[in-house]
Amino acid sequence: MRHFSKWVFVLLLGLFPALNPISAQVVTRDQCLLHLDKSFYVSGEIAWYKLYLPAFFRDKELSVRVSVTDQAGQIIRSHYLKTDGKAYVEGYYKVPFDVVTGMYHLVFEGSDKTARKFERLAETAVPMISDLGGASSPVAGGPVEQKPASPAGNLQIEITLPADTFLCRDQIQPRIAVRDQNGRPVKADISVAVTDWELCGPKAFGRSNIGVTSGLDPGLAGRLTNALYYRGQWLNGEGKPAAAKVAGAFSAEDQKLFYTNTDAAGTLFLELPDFYGNKPVQFLGWEKENTDISVRMDGTLRVNQETSPALSPEMAEYLRLSAGRKKIFQYYKMLETGLSVEFPETKPGELKPDMKVYPKEFKSFPNVATFFREVLRPITFTLKKDGAYDARIYNDQIQGLDEYYPEKPLFIVDNKITRDVDFVAKMDLSLVERVDLFFRFQTLRGQFNVLGSNGVARIITSADDIAVPDAEEEDIFTVSGLQPEAAFPAFDPSSMAAHQPFFRPQLYWNPHVETDNQGKASFSFYQSDEVSRFRIQVVAHGENGEYGIAERVYWVRMER
């Protein structure tokens, strides 16, 4: 660490079920085990993790919802991960630079469609600490109580290194051998974390970065689904829970209406097809039930209460060095923990109208209602006695008759749905680029189903961000889908500028190591410029559900 300080000087002139720290307990086959790359995180760092599931989940397709909450259980961020038939999921969480110091919670759940609820798989408390100073910084405290992790499990793991001491920027190539209690080789999934043990070890915070749950019910493997679900409460115009036989949800990204219903208590459990990242979804009711609805999406989870982190002398040193590292990376126009995310290529949904109208091809009219009244008749606007407009769309199923659908149509204005005819009728026509009309029965049934049974008009404008009436804007929510893949930004000396130093306590993380049929595996990484003591930590999960944990410490110095 003295080496790091010199560089700075030069450049600056925790069930549901809750995870319990590993002690002497043996992890059993019906338990989940969570491996974090370290036990606490600071502003701007990335938390990398791998959740190992019991063996009865192997070969089962399962979607796992991962939520980050604050101490009150308020969901800050959530996303889904897929097992793809494996007995684990792995992902990451980017700690905001403006994080407020406190205990946060990482919660893993599966979706039970029949029960319309999420089943808790694992939960752990994760300290996140601000290094920016001010009110968001931790409160000063004394030395922490040390509770180091002890290897536990039924598997025996051997970590072999060619030496106990290495130089800065050496390439280190550990070898791993995994055996059962009888000495037989084991084919296993492995995760590896390499950290600066002086900065991230038990002296800094005293918590383990590995935790286990209590045993899970094997029946969960048959009840939990592989789909993405979103839970909420369906409310009537008075804000009270209400049941709905038809509950619609419009996805602008998919250009599609999705359907579900509620139970008698109004509990909504919406299934959406797989997608990555975030997207808006707008809820709407059925004309034959109630269109004056609102939705309250679940935004909190019950979490175990944990004491907020205190500032030990070791933690204070970590924060001091963390601020210095940020300045070094800033000097070289780099991020200490840059995240390169790969979003799979997706094709947006497409609606196919029965007619397209381009208002700019006609003479100017003041608003939408006037344009259609004077120029085209597939949709008609009528001014009522109370001064408000009504509208109907032409029904071409009735041959030879000038007939319209009996109820007002659905309007989609720049990918937001509204039933407010007055709002649409009075829109400034100069903003309207195109109007798509959907009026044929087969078109409506195939693309909109029951909520579009009275016709649909889609209006595309040149406005930057048009807002529909407040009551409908309030029913638009941003939902999170699958987390895109990202690779840990491992240190590579060849990618660094000449004489550029590299310091980072999170040196290496790899959740994808697998042993061969002889129970052996290897990996490699480059050592940073830090002169310190480092720890290699290995977690292994055998095909039959056995666990193993092992650690190996080595030293790094500047020169031989």
Side-chain angles (χ1 to χ4, degrees):
M1 285 179 283
R2 289 191 298 272
H3 184 43
F4 168 73
S5 299
K6 290 178 182 178
W7 273 104
V8 174
F9 177 77
V10 170
L11 291 169
L12 298 181
L13 286 173
L15 179 70
F16 307 118
L19 287 164
N20 304 306
I22 295 289
S23 55
Q25 68 188 103
V26 174
V27 189
T28 58
R29 297 182 183 185
D30 62 346
Q31 293 177 296
C32 290
L33 184 148
L34 177 64
H35 187 194
L36 291 160
D37 64 323
K38 63 193 191 82
S39 61
F40 66 92
Y41 299 91
V42 170
S43 312
E45 292 184 339
I46 301 173
W48 301 86
Y49 58 82
K50 184 173 183 177
L51 178 70
Y52 293 93
L53 299 165
F56 51 73
F57 282 106
R58 194 177 298 277
D59 298 325
K60 302 286 185 180
E61 299 288 335
L62 176 67
S63 289
V64 177
R65 186 176 79 159
V66 185
S67 301
V68 178
T69 80
D70 61 17
Q71 185 71 320
Q74 187 73 32
I75 297 175
I76 299 169
R77 185 73 57 85
S78 66
H79 59 261
Y80 275 93
L81 298 170
K82 295 271 191 176
T83 64
D84 295 324
K86 300 171 184 175
Y88 65 82
V89 292
E90 50 93 8
Y92 53 89
Y93 174 68
K94 175 80 171 179
V95 179
F97 282 99
D98 60 352
V99 68
V100 176
T101 295
M103 259 325 173
Y104 294 79
H105 296 261
L106 198 56
V107 182
F108 299 82
E109 299 169 301
S111 306
D112 186 335
K113 178 182 179 181
T114 303
R116 295 176 181 266
K117 68 177 184 178
F118 293 102
E119 289 282 358
R120 189 72 54 96
L121 300 173
E123 174 198 339
T124 191
V126 181
M128 297 184 191
I129 302 161
S130 172
D131 64 355
L132 301 180
S136 63
S137 296
V139 178
V144 298
E145 180 184 356
Q146 295 188 25
K147 298 177 182 178
S150 301
N154 294 314
L155 298 180
Q156 308 300 316
I157 302 174
E158 180 182 7
I159 305 172
T160 303
L161 290 172
D164 292 323
T165 303
F166 298 89
L167 299 182
C168 297
R169 304 209 173 193
D170 272 354
Q171 185 178 27
I172 300 177
Q173 299 175 302
R175 290 177 295 161
I176 299 172
V178 181
R179 300 180 179 86
D180 63 18
Q181 291 179 318
N182 297 315
R184 293 175 297 209
V186 172
K187 191 169 178 59
D189 295 316
I190 288 174
S191 50
V192 178
V194 182
T195 55
D196 186 325
W197 191 229
E198 296 294 333
L199 289 176
C200 304
K203 289 190 297 182
F205 194 71
R207 293 176 65 92
S208 172
N209 61 313
I210 296 176
V212 296
T213 66
S214 55
L216 296 181
D217 175 12
L220 286 174
R223 299 200 303 270
L224 302 184
T225 74
N226 191 41
L228 311 187
Y229 279 94
Y230 303 88
R231 192 174 187 270
Q233 189 75 50
W234 197 259
L235 307 173
N236 61 22
E238 299 176 350
K240 297 179 180 179
K245 294 180 181 178
V246 176
F250 178 70
S251 166
E253 182 177 298
D254 298 284
Q255 291 291 292
K256 185 174 181 180
L257 270 167
F258 296 96
Y259 289 88
T260 185
N261 55 21
T262 74
D263 61 14
T267 302
L268 173 81
F269 210 56
L270 173 70
E271 178 183 349
L272 292 177
D274 290 356
F275 69 97
Y276 287 85
N278 303 321
K279 68 181 181 182
V281 170
Q282 182 178 358
F283 292 96
L284 60 157
W286 186 27
E287 299 96 322
K288 294 185 179 180
E289 287 186 317
N290 187 6
T291 59
D292 183 15
I293 62 95
S294 61
V295 172
R296 183 173 59 235
M297 299 299 289
D298 287 1
T300 59
L301 299 173
R302 292 182 61 191
V303 295
N304 295 295
Q305 297 301 303
E306 296 275 352
T307 304
S308 293
L311 184 62
S312 66
E314 291 80 9
M315 181 67 72
E317 176 68 2
Y318 186 101
L319 296 181
R320 184 184 72 82
L321 296 174
S322 175
R325 285 193 301 271
K326 285 181 172 66
K327 292 178 180 178
I328 291 175
F329 280 92
Q330 185 180 21
Y331 179 85
Y332 285 98
K333 296 180 174 58
M334 293 180 66
L335 289 174
E336 179 182 0
T337 50
L339 187 63
S340 178
V341 175
E342 296 182 8
F343 280 89
E345 196 170 323
T346 57
K347 185 179 180 180
E350 182 181 1
L351 289 172
K352 297 180 179 179
D354 296 311
M355 177 184 290
K356 295 181 180 181
V357 180
Y358 298 87
K360 290 184 174 15
E361 294 179 354
F362 300 84
K363 73 175 185 177
S364 177
F365 289 92
N367 55 44
V368 170
T370 306
F371 170 74
F372 278 101
R373 184 173 63 244
E374 298 294 334
V375 178
L376 295 171
R377 299 288 290 176
I379 180 170
T380 181
F381 289 86
T382 304
L383 188 62
K384 299 185 295 184
K385 291 182 179 180
D386 62 1
Y389 280 94
D390 197 3
R392 296 291 185 271
I393 281 186
Y394 175 67
N395 181 356
D396 78 332
Q397 294 298 111
I398 304 177
Q399 300 294 329
L401 296 176
D402 190 17
E403 290 290 340
Y404 292 82
Y405 286 101
E407 302 293 336
K408 61 185 177 182
L410 208 62
F411 294 96
I412 305 174
V413 181
D414 286 353
N415 291 322
K416 296 178 181 180
I417 287 183
T418 180
R419 288 192 173 99
D420 191 326
V421 178
D422 214 47
F423 167 78
V424 174
K426 296 175 181 178
M427 285 182 63
D428 183 352
L429 191 68
S430 67
L431 295 176
V432 178
E433 298 291 330
R434 193 179 85 214
V435 179
D436 293 340
L437 297 173
F438 306 81
F439 48 79
R440 294 195 174 100
F441 176 80
Q442 294 87 348
T443 303
L444 296 173
R445 173 57 70 91
Q447 298 187 72
F448 300 99
N449 210 320
V450 63
L451 291 181
S453 59
N454 286 296
V456 176
R458 179 172 65 172
I459 299 174
I460 300 169
T461 80
S462 58
D464 291 334
D465 186 17
I466 200 163
V468 294
D470 291 346
E472 291 158 327
E473 282 282 347
E474 290 170 0
D475 292 327
I476 301 175
F477 297 85
T478 298
V479 296
S480 299
L482 295 166
Q483 184 178 63
E485 293 185 5
F488 180 83
F491 172 49
D492 180 2
S494 65
S495 66
M496 306 289 284
H499 308 298
Q500 179 181 348
F502 183 86
F503 304 102
R504 190 175 63 201
Q506 299 163 285
L507 184 59
Y508 182 75
W509 166 257
N510 189 342
H512 299 132
V513 180
E514 294 181 1
T515 59
D516 58 20
N517 292 330
Q518 301 303 311
K520 296 181 179 180
S522 62
F523 56 94
S524 66
F525 59 90
Y526 286 96
Q527 190 58 46
S528 66
D529 292 314
E530 188 66 85
V531 174
S532 185
R533 185 168 55 140
F534 286 78
R535 179 191 68 170
I536 300 172
Q537 184 183 63
V538 172
V539 173
H541 188 208
E543 290 183 331
N544 294 323
E546 305 95 335
Y547 290 103
I549 303 168
E551 298 175 358
R552 175 73 185 268
V553 174
Y554 64 92
W555 291 88
V556 175
R557 61 186 184 184
M558 290 183 63
E559 54 189 26
R560 299 189 188 279

